[in-house]
Amino acid sequence: MRARSAGRRRVGAAFGAVLGLVGTAGAVTVGLGAAPAQAAPAKAAPSCTAGTGPYQKQAEKFLGLPADGKQSAKDCKAIRAFQTVNGIAPASGYAGPVTWGVMKRQQSTGDRSSCPTNKGRIACVDLTRQLSWVQDGSKRIYEPIPVRTGRNGYETRTGMHKIYWRHKDHVSSIYDVPMPYSQFFDGGQAFHSISGSVYSQPGSHGCVNMRKADAAAYWKLLRNGDDVFIYGRKPGT
């Protein structure tokens, strides 16, 4: 009886793991040997009704949206997602001075002291602030951009890495989802673009997700053998 019960438990655990993988939405990494998702999908947020803020156009441009200066449901949802990730309250989708101030700092800052300046060309990823940039020595050659890194249980691995394989039209072999402009730097973890928002939660399965234009720029700037330095800790992991 004990052997039979143990066998049933092993079968049940394996079946549960398979279901966890099948049920994972928006997978964005090759994630070799990845574990099943641990969190249930979040409930849908209520409709976004915030009005047009004084920094609407600037926020739209920062988020890669059509910069017409007029609030839309899509604009509001994107702004609210940015506010949620960056701890801005209330996360209403209103493009006010606090929201624009955080966006502006992310555009112009980047902790150079934490990313090595003696490596030549290097891609830096700050997990704490969810930012990435490219520098050559102490000179920044691509300004900080917003990124989405690994969720809890699938954390993007910290430390010094090197780009070892690039595939412009890559498709995940596990999740069967497109990973355009993939540049792999550690196992199944890579830089690549996603079709959704880089501010959507809970995060990737380990990859560093980017907007399409940023991923395309990284593709042109970086090569096999270039260094990638990842540091910090993503909030919630």
Side-chain angles (χ1 to χ4, degrees), residues 80-164:
R80 185 168 60 181
F82 174 85
Q83 292 168 332
T84 300
V85 167
N86 288 277
I88 300 170
S92 63
Y94 183 78
V98 174
T99 297
W100 172 235
V102 174
M103 290 178 173
K104 191 160 59 172
R105 283 197 300 274
Q106 290 191 5
Q107 281 183 327
S108 60
T109 63
D111 186 3
R112 290 185 178 92
S113 64
S114 294
C115 197
T117 58
N118 61 346
K119 292 286 187 178
R121 186 170 51 205
I122 184 171
C124 311
V125 180
D126 181 342
L127 297 178
T128 305
R129 293 187 295 167
Q130 294 289 278
L131 295 176
S132 179
W133 63 93
V134 180
Q135 63 187 47
D136 191 344
S138 60
K139 180 182 179 181
R140 205 155 46 198
I141 58 177
Y142 199 78
E143 293 298 323
I145 57 167
V147 294
R148 185 179 78 158
T149 63
R151 67 184 72 182
N152 189 35
Y154 295 87
E155 289 85 353
T156 303
R157 293 180 282 275
T158 57
M160 185 68 73
H161 311 284
K162 283 186 181 293
I163 294 174
Y164 68 90

Coordinates of all heavy atoms in Angstrom, one line a residue, residues 80-164:
R80 N -1.2 53.2 -16.1 CA -1.5 52.6 -14.8 C -0.5 51.5 -14.5 O -0.1 51.3 -13.3 CB -2.9 52.2 -14.7 CG -3.3 51.7 -13.3 CD -4.8 51.5 -13.2 NE -5.3 50.5 -14.2 CZ -6.6 50.2 -14.3 NH1 -7.5 50.8 -13.5 NH2 -7.0 49.4 -15.2
A81 N -0.2 50.7 -15.5 CA 0.8 49.6 -15.3 C 2.1 50.1 -14.9 O 2.8 49.6 -14.0 CB 0.9 48.8 -16.6
F82 N 2.6 51.2 -15.5 CA 3.8 51.8 -15.2 C 3.8 52.3 -13.7 O 4.7 52.1 -12.9 CB 4.1 53.0 -16.1 CG 5.4 53.8 -15.7 CD1 6.6 53.4 -16.1 CD2 5.2 55.0 -14.9 CE1 7.7 54.1 -15.7 CE2 6.3 55.7 -14.6 CZ 7.6 55.3 -15.0
Q83 N 2.7 53.0 -13.3 CA 2.6 53.5 -12.0 C 2.6 52.3 -10.9 O 3.2 52.4 -9.9 CB 1.2 54.2 -11.8 CG 1.3 55.5 -12.6 CD -0.1 56.2 -12.8 OE1 -1.1 55.5 -12.7 NE2 -0.2 57.5 -12.9
T84 N 2.0 51.2 -11.3 CA 1.9 50.1 -10.3 C 3.3 49.5 -10.1 O 3.7 49.3 -9.0 CB 1.0 49.0 -10.9 OG1 -0.3 49.5 -11.0 CG2 0.9 47.8 -9.9
V85 N 4.1 49.3 -11.2 CA 5.4 48.8 -11.1 C 6.3 49.7 -10.4 O 7.2 49.2 -9.6 CB 6.0 48.5 -12.6 CG1 7.5 48.2 -12.5 CG2 5.2 47.4 -13.2
N86 N 6.2 51.0 -10.5 CA 7.1 51.9 -9.9 C 6.5 52.5 -8.5 O 7.1 53.4 -8.0 CB 7.3 53.1 -10.8 CG 8.2 52.7 -12.0 OD1 9.4 52.6 -11.8 ND2 7.6 52.3 -13.1
G87 N 5.5 51.9 -8.0 CA 5.0 52.3 -6.7 C 4.4 53.7 -6.6 O 4.4 54.3 -5.5
I88 N 3.8 54.1 -7.7 CA 3.2 55.5 -7.7 C 1.7 55.3 -7.3 O 1.0 54.5 -7.9 CB 3.3 56.1 -9.1 CG1 4.8 56.2 -9.5 CG2 2.6 57.5 -9.1 CD1 5.0 56.6 -10.9
A89 N 1.3 56.1 -6.3 CA -0.1 56.0 -5.8 C -0.7 57.4 -5.9 O -0.1 58.4 -5.6 CB -0.1 55.5 -4.4
P90 N -2.0 57.4 -6.4 CA -2.8 56.2 -6.8 C -2.4 55.8 -8.2 O -2.0 56.7 -9.0 CB -4.2 56.7 -6.7 CG -4.1 58.2 -7.0 CD -2.8 58.6 -6.4
A91 N -2.4 54.5 -8.5 CA -2.2 54.0 -9.8 C -3.4 54.1 -10.7 O -4.1 53.1 -10.9 CB -1.7 52.6 -9.8
S92 N -3.7 55.4 -11.1 CA -5.0 55.6 -11.7 C -4.9 55.8 -13.2 O -5.9 55.8 -13.9 CB -5.6 56.9 -11.2 OG -4.7 58.0 -11.5
G93 N -3.7 55.8 -13.8 CA -3.5 56.1 -15.2 C -3.5 57.5 -15.6 O -3.4 57.8 -16.8
Y94 N -3.5 58.4 -14.6 CA -3.4 59.9 -14.8 C -2.0 60.3 -14.9 O -1.1 60.1 -14.0 CB -4.1 60.6 -13.7 CG -4.2 62.1 -13.9 CD1 -5.1 62.7 -14.7 CD2 -3.3 62.9 -13.2 CE1 -5.2 64.0 -14.8 CE2 -3.4 64.3 -13.3 CZ -4.4 64.9 -14.1 OH -4.4 66.2 -14.3
A95 N -1.6 60.9 -16.1 CA -0.2 61.4 -16.3 C 0.1 62.7 -15.6 O 0.1 63.7 -16.3 CB 0.0 61.4 -17.8
G96 N 0.3 62.6 -14.3 CA 0.6 63.8 -13.6 C 2.1 64.1 -13.4 O 2.9 63.3 -13.9
P97 N 2.4 65.1 -12.6 CA 3.9 65.4 -12.4 C 4.7 64.3 -11.8 O 5.9 64.2 -12.1 CB 3.8 66.7 -11.6 CG 2.5 66.7 -11.0 CD 1.6 66.0 -11.9
V98 N 4.1 63.6 -10.8 CA 4.9 62.5 -10.2 C 5.2 61.4 -11.2 O 6.4 61.0 -11.3 CB 4.1 61.9 -9.0 CG1 4.8 60.7 -8.4 CG2 3.9 63.0 -7.9
T99 N 4.2 61.0 -12.0 CA 4.5 60.0 -13.0 C 5.5 60.4 -14.0 O 6.4 59.7 -14.3 CB 3.1 59.6 -13.7 OG1 2.2 59.1 -12.7 CG2 3.4 58.6 -14.8
W100 N 5.4 61.6 -14.5 CA 6.3 62.1 -15.5 C 7.7 62.3 -14.9 O 8.7 62.0 -15.5 CB 5.9 63.4 -16.1 CG 6.9 64.0 -16.9 CD1 7.4 65.3 -16.8 CD2 7.6 63.5 -18.1 NE1 8.3 65.5 -17.8 CE2 8.5 64.4 -18.6 CE3 7.5 62.2 -18.7 CZ2 9.3 64.2 -19.7 CZ3 8.3 62.0 -19.8 CH2 9.2 62.9 -20.3
G101 N 7.8 62.7 -13.6 CA 9.1 62.8 -12.9 C 9.8 61.5 -12.9 O 11.0 61.4 -13.1
V102 N 9.1 60.4 -12.6 CA 9.7 59.1 -12.5 C 10.2 58.7 -13.9 O 11.3 58.1 -14.1 CB 8.8 58.0 -11.9 CG1 9.4 56.6 -12.0 CG2 8.5 58.4 -10.5
M103 N 9.3 58.9 -14.9 CA 9.7 58.6 -16.3 C 10.9 59.3 -16.7 O 11.8 58.8 -17.4 CB 8.5 58.9 -17.2 CG 7.3 58.0 -17.1 SD 6.0 58.4 -18.2 CE 4.8 57.1 -17.9
K104 N 11.0 60.6 -16.4 CA 12.1 61.4 -16.8 C 13.4 61.0 -16.2 O 14.5 61.0 -16.8 CB 11.8 62.9 -16.4 CG 12.8 63.9 -17.1 CD 12.2 65.3 -17.1 CE 11.8 65.8 -15.7 NZ 11.5 67.2 -15.8
R105 N 13.3 60.6 -14.9 CA 14.5 60.1 -14.2 C 15.0 58.8 -14.9 O 16.2 58.6 -15.0 CB 14.3 59.8 -12.7 CG 14.2 61.1 -11.9 CD 14.4 60.8 -10.4 NE 13.3 60.0 -9.9 CZ 12.1 60.4 -9.5 NH1 11.8 61.7 -9.6 NH2 11.2 59.6 -9.0
Q106 N 14.1 57.9 -15.2 CA 14.5 56.7 -15.9 C 15.1 56.9 -17.3 O 15.9 56.2 -17.7 CB 13.3 55.8 -16.0 CG 12.8 55.2 -14.7 CD 11.8 54.1 -14.8 OE1 11.5 53.7 -15.9 NE2 11.2 53.6 -13.7
Q107 N 14.7 58.0 -17.9 CA 15.3 58.3 -19.2 C 16.7 58.8 -19.1 O 17.6 58.5 -19.9 CB 14.5 59.4 -19.9 CG 13.2 59.0 -20.5 CD 12.5 60.1 -21.2 OE1 12.5 61.3 -20.8 NE2 11.8 59.8 -22.3
S108 N 17.0 59.5 -18.0 CA 18.3 60.2 -17.9 C 19.3 59.6 -16.9 O 20.4 60.0 -16.9 CB 18.0 61.7 -17.5 OG 17.4 61.7 -16.3
T109 N 18.8 58.6 -16.1 CA 19.7 58.1 -15.1 C 20.1 56.6 -15.4 O 19.6 56.0 -16.4 CB 19.1 58.1 -13.7 OG1 17.9 57.3 -13.7 CG2 18.7 59.5 -13.4
G110 N 20.9 56.1 -14.6 CA 21.4 54.8 -14.7 C 22.7 54.7 -13.8 O 23.5 55.6 -13.9
D111 N 22.7 53.7 -13.0 CA 23.8 53.7 -12.0 C 25.0 53.2 -12.6 O 25.3 52.0 -12.6 CB 23.3 52.8 -10.8 CG 24.3 52.8 -9.7 OD1 25.3 53.6 -9.7 OD2 24.1 52.1 -8.7
R112 N 25.8 54.1 -13.2 CA 27.1 53.7 -13.8 C 28.0 53.0 -12.9 O 28.8 52.2 -13.2 CB 27.7 54.9 -14.4 CG 27.0 55.5 -15.6 CD 27.9 56.6 -16.2 NE 27.3 57.2 -17.4 CZ 26.5 58.2 -17.4 NH1 26.1 58.8 -16.2 NH2 26.0 58.7 -18.5
S113 N 28.0 53.4 -11.6 CA 29.0 52.9 -10.6 C 28.8 51.4 -10.4 O 29.7 50.7 -9.9 CB 28.9 53.6 -9.3 OG 27.6 53.5 -8.7
S114 N 27.6 50.9 -10.6 CA 27.3 49.5 -10.3 C 27.6 48.6 -11.5 O 27.6 47.4 -11.4 CB 25.8 49.3 -9.9 OG 25.6 49.9 -8.7
C115 N 27.7 49.2 -12.7 CA 28.0 48.4 -13.9 C 29.5 48.6 -14.3 O 29.9 49.8 -14.4 CB 27.1 48.8 -15.0 SG 27.0 47.6 -16.4
P116 N 30.3 47.6 -14.5 CA 31.7 47.7 -14.8 C 32.0 48.7 -16.0 O 31.3 48.6 -17.0 CB 32.1 46.3 -15.2 CG 31.1 45.4 -14.5 CD 29.8 46.1 -14.6
T117 N 33.0 49.5 -15.8 CA 33.4 50.4 -16.8 C 34.7 50.0 -17.5 O 35.3 50.7 -18.3 CB 33.6 51.8 -16.2 OG1 34.6 51.8 -15.2 CG2 32.3 52.3 -15.7
N118 N 35.2 48.8 -17.1 CA 36.5 48.3 -17.7 C 36.4 47.2 -18.7 O 37.3 46.4 -18.9 CB 37.5 47.9 -16.6 CG 36.9 46.8 -15.7 OD1 35.7 46.5 -15.8 ND2 37.7 46.2 -14.9
K119 N 35.1 47.0 -19.2 CA 34.8 45.9 -20.0 C 34.6 46.2 -21.5 O 34.3 45.4 -22.3 CB 33.6 45.1 -19.5 CG 33.8 44.4 -18.2 CD 34.6 43.2 -18.4 CE 34.6 42.4 -17.1 NZ 35.4 41.1 -17.3
G120 N 34.7 47.5 -21.8 CA 34.4 47.9 -23.2 C 32.9 47.9 -23.3 O 32.1 48.3 -22.4
R121 N 32.3 47.5 -24.4 CA 30.9 47.4 -24.6 C 30.2 46.4 -23.7 O 30.6 45.2 -23.7 CB 30.6 47.1 -26.1 CG 29.1 47.2 -26.5 CD 29.0 47.2 -28.0 NE 29.7 46.0 -28.5 CZ 30.1 45.9 -29.8 NH1 29.9 46.9 -30.6 NH2 30.7 44.8 -30.2
I122 N 29.2 46.9 -23.0 CA 28.5 46.0 -22.0 C 27.1 46.4 -21.9 O 26.8 47.6 -21.9 CB 29.3 46.0 -20.7 CG1 28.6 45.0 -19.7 CG2 29.3 47.4 -20.1 CD1 29.4 44.9 -18.4
A123 N 26.2 45.4 -21.8 CA 24.8 45.7 -21.6 C 24.5 45.5 -20.1 O 24.9 44.5 -19.5 CB 23.9 44.7 -22.3
C124 N 23.9 46.5 -19.5 CA 23.7 46.6 -18.0 C 22.2 46.4 -17.8 O 21.4 47.0 -18.4 CB 24.2 47.9 -17.4 SG 25.9 48.4 -17.9
V125 N 21.9 45.6 -16.7 CA 20.5 45.4 -16.3 C 20.4 45.7 -14.8 O 21.0 44.9 -14.0 CB 20.0 44.0 -16.7 CG1 18.5 43.9 -16.3 CG2 20.1 43.7 -18.2
D126 N 19.6 46.6 -14.5 CA 19.3 46.9 -13.0 C 17.9 46.3 -12.7 O 16.9 46.9 -13.1 CB 19.3 48.5 -12.9 CG 19.0 48.9 -11.4 OD1 18.5 48.1 -10.6 OD2 19.3 50.1 -11.1
L127 N 18.0 45.2 -12.0 CA 16.7 44.5 -11.7 C 15.8 45.3 -10.7 O 14.6 45.3 -10.8 CB 17.0 43.1 -11.0 CG 17.8 42.1 -11.9 CD1 18.0 40.9 -11.1 CD2 17.0 41.8 -13.2
T128 N 16.5 46.0 -9.8 CA 15.7 46.8 -8.8 C 14.8 47.9 -9.5 O 13.7 48.0 -9.1 CB 16.7 47.5 -7.8 OG1 17.5 46.5 -7.2 CG2 15.9 48.2 -6.7
R129 N 15.4 48.6 -10.4 CA 14.6 49.6 -11.1 C 14.0 49.2 -12.4 O 13.4 50.0 -13.1 CB 15.5 50.8 -11.3 CG 15.9 51.5 -9.9 CD 16.7 52.8 -10.2 NE 18.0 52.5 -10.8 CZ 18.7 53.5 -11.3 NH1 18.3 54.8 -11.3 NH2 19.9 53.2 -11.9
Q130 N 14.3 47.9 -12.8 CA 13.8 47.4 -14.1 C 14.2 48.3 -15.3 O 13.4 48.8 -16.1 CB 12.3 47.3 -14.0 CG 11.8 46.2 -13.0 CD 12.1 44.8 -13.5 OE1 11.4 44.2 -14.3 NE2 13.2 44.2 -13.0
L131 N 15.5 48.6 -15.3 CA 16.1 49.4 -16.4 C 17.3 48.6 -17.0 O 17.9 47.8 -16.4 CB 16.6 50.7 -15.8 CG 15.6 51.7 -15.2 CD1 16.3 52.9 -14.7 CD2 14.6 52.2 -16.3
S132 N 17.5 49.0 -18.3 CA 18.7 48.4 -18.9 C 19.3 49.5 -19.8 O 18.6 50.4 -20.3 CB 18.4 47.2 -19.8 OG 19.5 46.7 -20.5
W133 N 20.6 49.5 -20.1 CA 21.2 50.4 -21.0 C 22.5 49.7 -21.5 O 22.9 48.7 -21.0 CB 21.6 51.7 -20.3 CG 22.5 51.7 -19.2 CD1 23.9 51.8 -19.2 CD2 22.2 51.4 -17.8 NE1 24.4 51.7 -18.0 CE2 23.4 51.4 -17.1 CE3 21.0 51.1 -17.1 CZ2 23.5 51.2 -15.7 CZ3 21.1 50.9 -15.7 CH2 22.3 51.0 -15.0
V134 N 23.1 50.3 -22.5 CA 24.4 49.8 -23.0 C 25.4 50.9 -22.9 O 25.2 52.1 -23.2 CB 24.3 49.4 -24.5 CG1 25.6 48.9 -25.1 CG2 23.2 48.4 -24.7
Q135 N 26.6 50.5 -22.4 CA 27.7 51.5 -22.3 C 29.0 50.9 -22.8 O 29.1 49.7 -23.0 CB 27.9 51.9 -20.8 CG 28.3 50.8 -19.9 CD 28.3 51.2 -18.4 OE1 27.3 51.8 -17.9 NE2 29.3 50.9 -17.7
D136 N 29.9 51.8 -23.2 CA 31.2 51.4 -23.6 C 32.2 52.1 -22.7 O 32.4 53.3 -22.8 CB 31.4 51.8 -25.1 CG 32.7 51.2 -25.7 OD1 33.5 50.7 -24.9 OD2 32.8 51.2 -26.9
G137 N 32.8 51.4 -21.8 CA 33.6 52.0 -20.8 C 32.7 52.8 -19.9 O 31.6 52.2 -19.4
S138 N 32.9 54.0 -19.7 CA 32.0 54.9 -18.8 C 31.1 55.7 -19.7 O 30.2 56.4 -19.2 CB 32.9 55.8 -18.0 OG 33.7 56.7 -18.8
K139 N 31.2 55.5 -21.0 CA 30.3 56.3 -21.9 C 29.0 55.4 -22.2 O 29.1 54.3 -22.7 CB 31.0 56.6 -23.2 CG 30.2 57.4 -24.2 CD 30.9 57.7 -25.5 CE 30.1 58.4 -26.5 NZ 30.8 58.7 -27.7
R140 N 27.9 56.0 -22.0 CA 26.6 55.3 -22.3 C 26.3 55.5 -23.7 O 26.2 56.6 -24.2 CB 25.5 55.8 -21.4 CG 24.4 54.8 -21.2 CD 23.7 55.1 -19.9 NE 23.3 56.5 -19.7 CZ 23.0 57.0 -18.5 NH1 23.0 56.3 -17.5 NH2 22.7 58.3 -18.4
I141 N 26.1 54.4 -24.5 CA 25.8 54.5 -25.9 C 24.4 54.2 -26.2 O 23.9 54.3 -27.4 CB 26.8 53.6 -26.7 CG1 26.7 52.1 -26.3 CG2 28.2 54.1 -26.6 CD1 27.5 51.2 -27.1
Y142 N 23.6 53.7 -25.2 CA 22.1 53.6 -25.4 C 21.5 53.9 -24.0 O 21.8 53.2 -23.0 CB 21.8 52.2 -25.8 CG 20.4 52.1 -26.5 CD1 20.1 52.6 -27.7 CD2 19.3 51.6 -25.7 CE1 18.8 52.5 -28.3 CE2 18.0 51.6 -26.3 CZ 17.8 52.0 -27.6 OH 16.5 52.0 -28.1
E143 N 20.7 54.9 -24.0 CA 20.2 55.4 -22.7 C 19.3 54.3 -22.0 O 18.7 53.4 -22.7 CB 19.4 56.7 -22.9 CG 20.3 57.8 -23.4 CD 21.4 58.2 -22.3 OE1 21.0 58.1 -21.1 OE2 22.5 58.5 -22.7
P144 N 19.1 54.5 -20.7 CA 18.2 53.5 -20.0 C 16.8 53.4 -20.5 O 16.2 54.3 -20.9 CB 18.2 54.1 -18.6 CG 19.4 54.9 -18.4 CD 19.6 55.5 -19.8
I145 N 16.4 52.1 -20.6 CA 15.1 51.8 -21.1 C 14.4 50.9 -20.1 O 15.0 50.2 -19.3 CB 15.2 51.0 -22.5 CG1 16.0 49.8 -22.3 CG2 15.7 51.9 -23.6 CD1 16.0 48.8 -23.5
P146 N 13.0 50.9 -20.1 CA 12.3 50.0 -19.2 C 12.4 48.6 -19.7 O 12.3 48.3 -21.0 CB 10.9 50.6 -19.3 CG 10.8 51.2 -20.6 CD 12.1 51.8 -20.9
V147 N 12.5 47.7 -18.8 CA 12.5 46.2 -19.2 C 11.6 45.5 -18.2 O 11.3 46.0 -17.2 CB 14.0 45.6 -19.2 CG1 14.8 46.3 -20.2 CG2 14.6 45.8 -17.8
R148 N 11.3 44.3 -18.6 CA 10.6 43.4 -17.7 C 11.4 42.1 -17.5 O 11.7 41.4 -18.5 CB 9.2 43.0 -18.3 CG 8.3 42.2 -17.4 CD 7.0 41.9 -18.0 NE 7.1 40.8 -19.0 CZ 6.0 40.1 -19.3 NH1 4.8 40.3 -18.8 NH2 6.2 39.1 -20.2
T149 N 11.8 41.8 -16.2 CA 12.6 40.7 -16.0 C 11.8 39.5 -15.3 O 10.6 39.6 -15.2 CB 13.8 41.1 -15.1 OG1 13.3 41.6 -13.8 CG2 14.6 42.2 -15.8
G150 N 12.5 38.5 -14.8 CA 11.9 37.3 -14.3 C 11.0 37.5 -13.1 O 11.4 38.2 -12.2
R151 N 9.9 36.8 -13.1 CA 8.9 36.8 -12.0 C 9.5 36.0 -10.8 O 10.5 35.3 -11.0 CB 7.6 36.3 -12.4 CG 7.6 34.8 -12.8 CD 6.3 34.4 -13.4 NE 6.0 34.9 -14.7 CZ 4.9 34.6 -15.4 NH1 3.9 33.9 -14.8 NH2 4.7 35.1 -16.6
N152 N 8.8 36.0 -9.7 CA 9.1 35.1 -8.6 C 9.1 33.7 -9.0 O 8.2 33.1 -9.5 CB 8.1 35.4 -7.4 CG 8.6 34.7 -6.1 OD1 9.8 34.7 -5.8 ND2 7.7 34.2 -5.3
G153 N 10.3 33.0 -8.7 CA 10.4 31.6 -9.1 C 11.1 31.4 -10.4 O 11.5 30.3 -10.8
Y154 N 11.2 32.5 -11.2 CA 11.9 32.4 -12.5 C 12.8 33.6 -12.6 O 13.0 34.2 -13.7 CB 10.8 32.5 -13.7 CG 9.9 31.4 -13.8 CD1 8.7 31.4 -13.0 CD2 10.1 30.3 -14.6 CE1 7.8 30.3 -13.1 CE2 9.3 29.3 -14.7 CZ 8.1 29.3 -14.0 OH 7.2 28.2 -14.1
E155 N 13.5 34.0 -11.6 CA 14.3 35.2 -11.5 C 15.4 35.2 -12.6 O 16.0 34.2 -12.9 CB 14.9 35.4 -10.1 CG 14.0 35.7 -9.0 CD 13.3 34.5 -8.4 OE1 13.5 33.4 -8.9 OE2 12.6 34.6 -7.4
T156 N 15.6 36.4 -13.2 CA 16.7 36.6 -14.1 C 18.0 36.5 -13.2 O 18.1 37.2 -12.2 CB 16.6 38.0 -14.7 OG1 15.3 38.1 -15.4 CG2 17.7 38.2 -15.7
R157 N 18.9 35.7 -13.7 CA 20.1 35.4 -12.9 C 21.1 36.6 -12.9 O 21.4 37.1 -14.0 CB 20.7 34.2 -13.3 CG 19.9 32.9 -13.1 CD 20.5 31.7 -13.5 NE 20.5 31.5 -15.0 CZ 19.4 30.9 -15.6 NH1 18.4 30.5 -14.9 NH2 19.4 30.7 -16.9
T158 N 21.5 37.0 -11.7 CA 22.5 38.1 -11.6 C 23.9 37.7 -11.9 O 24.2 36.5 -12.0 CB 22.4 38.7 -10.2 OG1 22.7 37.6 -9.2 CG2 21.0 39.3 -9.9
G159 N 24.8 38.7 -12.1 CA 26.2 38.4 -12.3 C 26.6 38.8 -13.7 O 25.9 39.4 -14.5
M160 N 27.8 38.4 -14.0 CA 28.4 38.7 -15.3 C 28.2 37.6 -16.3 O 28.4 36.4 -16.0 CB 29.9 38.9 -15.2 CG 30.6 39.4 -16.5 SD 30.1 41.0 -17.0 CE 31.0 42.0 -15.8
H161 N 27.7 37.9 -17.5 CA 27.4 36.9 -18.5 C 28.0 37.4 -19.8 O 28.4 38.5 -19.9 CB 25.9 36.7 -18.6 CG 25.2 36.5 -17.3 ND1 25.2 35.3 -16.6 CD2 24.4 37.3 -16.6 CE1 24.5 35.3 -15.5 NE2 24.0 36.6 -15.5
K162 N 27.9 36.5 -20.8 CA 28.3 36.9 -22.2 C 27.2 36.5 -23.2 O 26.6 35.4 -23.0 CB 29.6 36.3 -22.6 CG 30.8 37.0 -22.0 CD 32.1 36.4 -22.5 CE 33.3 37.1 -21.9 NZ 33.5 38.5 -22.3
I163 N 26.9 37.3 -24.2 CA 26.0 36.9 -25.2 C 26.7 35.7 -26.0 O 27.9 35.9 -26.5 CB 25.7 38.0 -26.1 CG1 24.9 39.1 -25.4 CG2 24.9 37.6 -27.4 CD1 24.6 40.3 -26.1
Y164 N 26.0 34.6 -26.1 CA 26.6 33.4 -26.7 C 25.9 33.0 -28.0 O 26.4 32.2 -28.8 CB 26.8 32.3 -25.7 CG 25.5 31.7 -25.3 CD1 24.9 30.6 -26.0 CD2 24.8 32.2 -24.2 CE1 23.7 30.1 -25.6 CE2 23.6 31.6 -23.8 CZ 23.1 30.6 -24.5 OH 21.9 30.0 -24.1

